[in-house]
Amino acid sequence: MKITKVSYDRLDLRLAVPYTIAYETISKATNFILKLETETSIIGFGCSAPDTLVTGESPLEVEELIKNIIEPYLKGKDPFTYALILAELRQSLGPKSSTLTMVDMALHDLISKKAGVPLYRFLGGYRDRIPTSITIGILPLDQTLAQAKDFVGQGFTILKIKGGGNLQADIEKMIRIRQLFPKITLRFDGNQGYTVAESIDFVEKTAKVGIEIFEQPTKLGQEENLGKVTGQVHIPVMADESLKTLRDVFRLAKKGRVDMINIKLMKVGGIMEGMHINSVAKSANLEVMVGCNDECGLGIAAGLHFALSRPNIYYADLDGHLDLLNDPITGLFNLRNGVLFPTTSPGLGNVHL
């Protein structure tokens, strides 16, 4: 099987409701869909979701890389040599992680379609479903409670609350949500907004809430502070922004900085690199979540298949598609009562644009 044609579509997607995290407000997202055709009837698709802060790329950069590097390089290549392809592209692209993810995803889609099985089974098929959290951004208390009520009414059993902007407001939100929903699983994302002292204060004052995961409370680049929090609180601390590369997870694990890591395919460079990172996490006894950016259904599907393939990936935060108003890619998975189920079709499923 050889790649005979490379093309792409740009998706400029609007969010139904803009959301705020500790360091920015987001109202739109740009995704790219890479299409790899072969001399057979098999077509592979990949997704890029660039974010200047997270992936180090702008949409303009991704588009130029597709035209100038990816398209001429991939023509004539055998998808089954994906390790070589991705290694050479990494040298050419540099630290442009979602661009590399897009290629990685399309290659995995091709080879699992050639094998005739869904991608999660090609990768190992450890489980066939996983519950996902749904995220509430930084909102006033009344709006936070209203959104929580809406999500629980839709069947979600795991809520992730964004914070980091106002310690006392964050504490009150978590306490009030727990009072309203005593059986819902709660996670909290500090989005790098806290000091060490604030992080410890937050955990102590929400002790009765029963927060399952405390995500990235301190700033990127201050791993000692992250480790200080981990060493002084009773709930699991998870690295998100602090983890972008294989070296990052090795360093975090070696120095005991965290209890958990959040692997987002867009920020680490794709499924193959995610597998390497996950293996280091497993060797260090770190639990793993698979997360996402603001991604269309194709990106979320890839994250889902990756999450289903490995026994030590216990958690998913794959809700980045839910607020996109004009996402043309649907039907690649099912979401029922907060649980994600993959396609039964080969690869990532049947993509229609």
Side-chain angles (χ1 to χ4, degrees):
M1 185 166 61
K2 301 290 184 183
I3 297 169
T4 56
K5 183 177 179 181
V6 180
S7 58
Y8 74 97
D9 286 281
R10 173 174 172 149
L11 307 179
D12 291 304
L13 306 168
R14 293 180 294 114
L15 273 64
V17 179
Y19 65 90
T20 299
I21 57 178
Y23 51 86
E24 64 178 330
T25 296
I26 299 162
S27 62
K28 60 184 179 180
T30 297
N31 283 198
F32 291 89
I33 306 300
L34 184 70
K35 182 179 180 181
L36 303 183
E37 299 179 54
T38 66
E39 83 280 9
T40 71
S41 61
I42 300 173
I43 301 173
F45 293 90
C47 172
S48 166
D51 182 306
T52 304
L53 292 175
V54 177
T55 71
E57 309 143 300
S58 68
L60 178 60
E61 288 176 305
V62 174
E63 201 155 12
E64 290 178 345
L65 290 170
I66 295 172
K67 293 176 181 177
N68 298 328
I69 295 179
I70 291 172
E71 183 176 353
Y73 173 81
L74 286 180
K75 285 183 179 178
K77 293 293 190 296
D78 177 356
F80 282 93
T81 64
Y82 65 89
L84 174 62
I85 291 171
L86 294 171
E88 292 184 343
L89 276 179
R90 187 179 291 275
Q91 292 295 318
S92 300
L93 298 175
K96 308 297 182 184
S97 61
S98 84
T99 306
L100 192 65
T101 298
M102 172 177 60
V103 178
D104 170 285
M105 195 184 301
L107 294 173
H108 277 91
D109 190 30
L110 279 175
I111 59 180
S112 53
K113 283 176 175 172
K114 179 67 173 178
V117 295
L119 178 56
Y120 79 96
R121 291 183 59 197
F122 181 84
L123 295 174
Y126 185 77
R127 54 176 64 87
D128 63 5
R129 68 195 69 185
I130 193 168
T132 180
S133 55
I134 188 166
T135 303
I136 300 176
I138 298 176
L139 296 169
L141 178 61
D142 59 340
Q143 294 180 39
T144 298
L145 297 177
Q147 199 164 93
K149 183 177 181 180
D150 179 40
F151 289 153
V152 173
Q154 293 178 40
F156 288 96
T157 61
I158 309 169
L159 302 180
K160 184 168 90 166
I161 314 302
K162 296 276 191 179
N166 184 312
L167 175 62
Q168 296 308 315
D170 292 343
I171 292 169
E172 183 180 6
K173 283 179 187 177
M174 300 307 290
I175 292 172
R176 290 290 302 278
I177 293 172
R178 175 55 74 213
Q179 289 171 345
L180 285 176
F181 306 106
K183 296 183 179 180
I184 292 295
T185 298
L186 296 178
R187 301 169 181 169
F188 184 81
D189 185 354
N191 270 124
Q192 311 178 66
Y194 290 160
T195 64
V196 173
E198 288 171 334
S199 301
I200 295 169
D201 194 27
F202 172 82
V203 173
E204 289 177 348
K205 291 181 178 177
T206 59
K208 294 183 179 180
V209 172
I211 295 172
E212 181 185 47
I213 298 169
F214 190 21
E215 184 174 352
Q216 194 72 43
T218 59
K219 290 189 182 300
L220 171 68
Q222 299 179 4
E223 289 179 7
E224 288 187 10
N225 288 341
L226 193 60
K228 289 176 183 177
V229 176
T230 300
Q232 296 181 69
V233 300
H234 67 279
I235 60 177
V237 175
M238 181 167 66
D240 179 8
E241 288 87 352
S242 291
L243 171 67
K244 293 184 179 180
T245 68
L246 187 60
R247 287 185 178 181
D248 288 340
V249 69
F250 180 78
R251 185 177 61 254
L252 289 166
K254 184 178 180 181
K255 296 183 178 180
R257 303 297 198 204
V258 293
D259 305 295
M260 303 176 61
I261 61 167
N262 186 350
I263 299 176
K264 295 177 179 176
L265 296 182
M266 292 297 165
K267 71 176 180 179
V268 304
I271 293 167
M272 189 173 77
E273 193 70 4
M275 290 288 191
H276 295 324
I277 290 170
N278 182 67
S279 294
V280 173
K282 183 178 181 181
S283 71
N285 201 31
L286 300 179
E287 293 185 332
V288 177
M289 170 188 281
V290 174
C292 63
N293 294 345
D294 293 310
E295 301 170 28
C296 68
L298 181 62
I300 298 299
L304 172 61
H305 283 261
F306 171 60
L308 296 176
S309 70
R310 287 294 180 269
N312 64 311
I313 299 178
Y314 299 105
Y315 310 99
D317 180 34
L318 294 170
D319 62 343
H321 65 299
L322 292 173
D323 206 31
L324 298 176
L325 287 175
N326 50 334
D327 182 1
I329 298 180
T330 59
L332 299 186
F333 50 84
N334 291 311
L335 176 61
R336 298 196 295 271
N337 293 322
V339 179
L340 287 164
F341 298 83
T343 181
T344 57
S345 300
L348 289 167
N350 299 313
V351 176
H352 302 287
L353 284 173

